[in-house]
């Protein structure tokens, strides 16, 4: 499965902060925002990832992430010169997807949950068309909403409805088979001039090939696209890390636990940042992992 992180857009909800650079490079507590969606794709077992961003900001992402080799993965880059909707990612990423299954995640979405990695890997294995995820929220009118029948099966998708028929919002994370490129290319722009991801999902639903996976109460989902939600996400990350002694969105640690790099490589990456608590954390993780038996270092349900 290929991965795509859509980190384009003008970030108008975060101005004036976004006037000086991509919002996906803004800090969420102790690391750049893009680390969180990147680490999630890696936890799903995806190691070939395309980052889509504005042309002026691509050099910044390259400087931060390189080609992914330090993490044992492959990261490529593509430009989106104007915001044309989420589904535009499939037009831009056609060559990257190359007819394979793909996972698309928005660059300002943060997910965290102990069972989430195993849920994602299970969803990827059973993919038959598309998989979208449902998360219960108090204000569904702000999001795309999944309507389900009495058996919990997906029956309709509404985009920011005034009177939602359910409280299941659809986060910015989607799995698709290789047909998504043709579906996206066949879309007409919506009234707001964008290629809507909702229209892609409806095409799969109409064909009977859209599955909804519920994210349970143990999963946190945050959209960090506003100043308030950015602060909320930073406080959430800080509190979890302080209380549990772990790091959320730590791409180097995830790379080690997924087997993309070994403990020695993780230690060296931490050593480069040894003056920061982040670097020292990586070194400690590598020391601990290096002393564990191989069977205990497998990804399993590691969060």
């Amino acid at each position: 499965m290929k991965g795509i992180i859509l980190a384009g857009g003008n970030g108008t909800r975060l101005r004036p902060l976004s006037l000086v650079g991509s919002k996906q490079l803004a800090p969420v507590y102790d690391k750049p925002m893009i680390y969180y969606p990147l680490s999630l794709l890696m936890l799903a077992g995806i190691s070939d990832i395309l980052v889509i961003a504005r042309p002026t900001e691509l050099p910044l992402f390259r400087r931060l992430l390189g080609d992914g080799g330090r993490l044992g993965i492959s990261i490529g880059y593509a430009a989106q010169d104007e915001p044309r909707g989420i589904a535009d990612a499939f037009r831009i990423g056609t060559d990257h997807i190359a007819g394979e299954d793909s996972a698309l995640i928005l660059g300002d979405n943060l997910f965290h949950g102990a069972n989430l990695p195993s849920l994602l890997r299970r969803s990827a294995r059973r993919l038959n068309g598309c998989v979208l995820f449902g998360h219960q929220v108090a204000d569904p009118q702000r999001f795309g909403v999944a309507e389900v029948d009495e058996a919990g099966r997906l029956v309709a998708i509404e985009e920011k409805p005034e009177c939602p028929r359910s409280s299941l919002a659809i986060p910015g994370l989607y799995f698709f088979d290789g047909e998504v490129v043709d579906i996206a290319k066949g879309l007409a722009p919506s009234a707001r001039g964008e290629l809507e991801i909702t229209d892609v999902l409806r095409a799969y639903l109409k064909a009977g090939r859209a599955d909804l996976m519920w994210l349970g109460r143990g999963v946190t989902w945050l959209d960090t696209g506003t100043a308030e939600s950015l602060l909320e996400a930073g406080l959430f990350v800080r509190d979890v890390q302080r209380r549990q002694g772990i790091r959320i969105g730590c791409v180097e640690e995830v790379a080690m636990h997924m087997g993309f790099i070994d403990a020695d490589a993780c230690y060296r990456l931490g050593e480069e940042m040894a003056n920061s608590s982040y670097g020292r954390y990586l070194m400690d993780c590598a020391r601990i992992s290096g002393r564990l038996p191989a069977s205990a270092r497998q990804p399993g349900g590691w969060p």
Side-chain angles (χ1 to χ4, degrees):
M1 175 175 279
K2 302 292 185 69
I4 296 178
I5 302 175
L6 183 56
N10 294 321
T12 54
R13 294 183 296 164
L14 272 175
R15 288 185 176 176
L17 174 63
S18 57
L19 291 175
V20 295
S22 169
K23 67 178 179 181
Q24 288 86 5
L25 293 173
V28 178
Y29 188 53
D30 61 345
K31 58 191 77 69
M33 185 187 296
I34 197 171
Y35 271 36
Y36 299 93
L38 175 59
S39 66
L40 191 73
L41 292 182
M42 293 166 66
L43 284 168
I46 299 171
S47 59
D48 192 353
I49 296 167
L50 179 71
V51 175
I52 298 175
R54 292 189 293 183
T56 55
E57 290 159 356
L58 284 176
L60 301 177
F61 286 101
R62 285 195 178 97
R63 180 181 176 185
L64 175 67
L65 303 172
D67 63 2
R70 288 158 59 86
L71 300 174
I73 64 175
S74 174
I75 300 178
Y77 301 89
Q80 184 185 47
D81 54 355
E82 293 290 339
R84 296 188 183 89
I86 295 174
D88 189 44
F90 301 111
R91 179 189 64 83
I92 297 171
T94 298
D95 291 341
H96 171 70
I97 295 171
E100 296 185 31
D101 297 344
S102 61
L104 170 65
I105 187 169
L106 304 187
D108 59 1
N109 275 222
L110 185 156
F111 298 83
H112 177 67
N115 296 320
L116 186 56
S118 57
L119 171 66
L120 296 179
R121 291 193 287 270
R122 188 166 65 250
S123 299
R125 288 193 299 268
R126 60 181 284 187
L127 181 64
N128 179 29
C130 82
V131 174
L132 58 154
F133 299 87
H135 193 274
Q136 194 135 354
V137 297
D139 50 354
Q141 64 274 9
R142 294 180 51 223
F143 307 99
V145 174
E147 181 184 353
V148 296
D149 62 18
E150 294 180 356
R153 292 184 296 262
L154 181 67
V155 296
I157 299 168
E158 301 177 282
E159 181 63 29
K160 298 181 180 178
E162 292 185 9
C163 301
R165 297 176 185 174
S166 85
S167 58
L168 277 179
I170 302 172
L173 172 65
Y174 320 89
F175 290 177
F176 294 100
D177 66 12
E179 293 185 23
V180 68
V181 169
D182 291 335
I183 292 173
K185 287 183 176 180
L187 295 179
S190 65
R192 59 177 185 165
E194 295 190 357
L195 302 178
E196 305 288 355
I197 192 66
T198 306
D199 291 335
V200 175
L201 298 175
R202 285 176 178 151
Y204 277 100
L205 180 59
K206 184 177 180 180
R209 299 198 304 120
D211 291 328
L212 175 69
M213 294 293 293
W214 291 40
L215 300 177
R217 291 187 178 184
V219 174
T220 297
W221 164 52
L222 296 170
D223 174 350
T224 59
T226 67
E228 187 66 24
S229 60
L230 183 62
L231 175 61
E232 180 185 359
L235 293 174
F236 171 79
V237 171
R238 183 201 66 178
D239 290 346
V240 170
Q241 293 185 171
R242 280 184 177 179
R243 293 171 183 172
Q244 299 184 15
I246 63 171
R247 299 263 171 165
I248 302 174
C250 182
V251 293
E252 298 88 353
E253 183 187 11
V254 170
M256 179 180 65
H257 278 273
M258 293 300 298
F260 299 147
I261 61 175
D262 60 22
D264 289 341
C266 183
Y267 185 89
R268 290 193 297 272
L269 291 173
E271 205 171 24
E272 295 175 5
M273 299 180 279
N275 285 337
S276 70
S277 62
Y278 187 92
R280 293 190 293 273
Y281 172 81
L282 285 179
M283 295 164 71
D284 288 342
C285 288
R287 289 191 194 99
I288 294 170
S289 180
R291 293 196 296 265
L292 292 175
S295 60
R297 298 197 298 267
Q298 297 306 309
W302 186 80

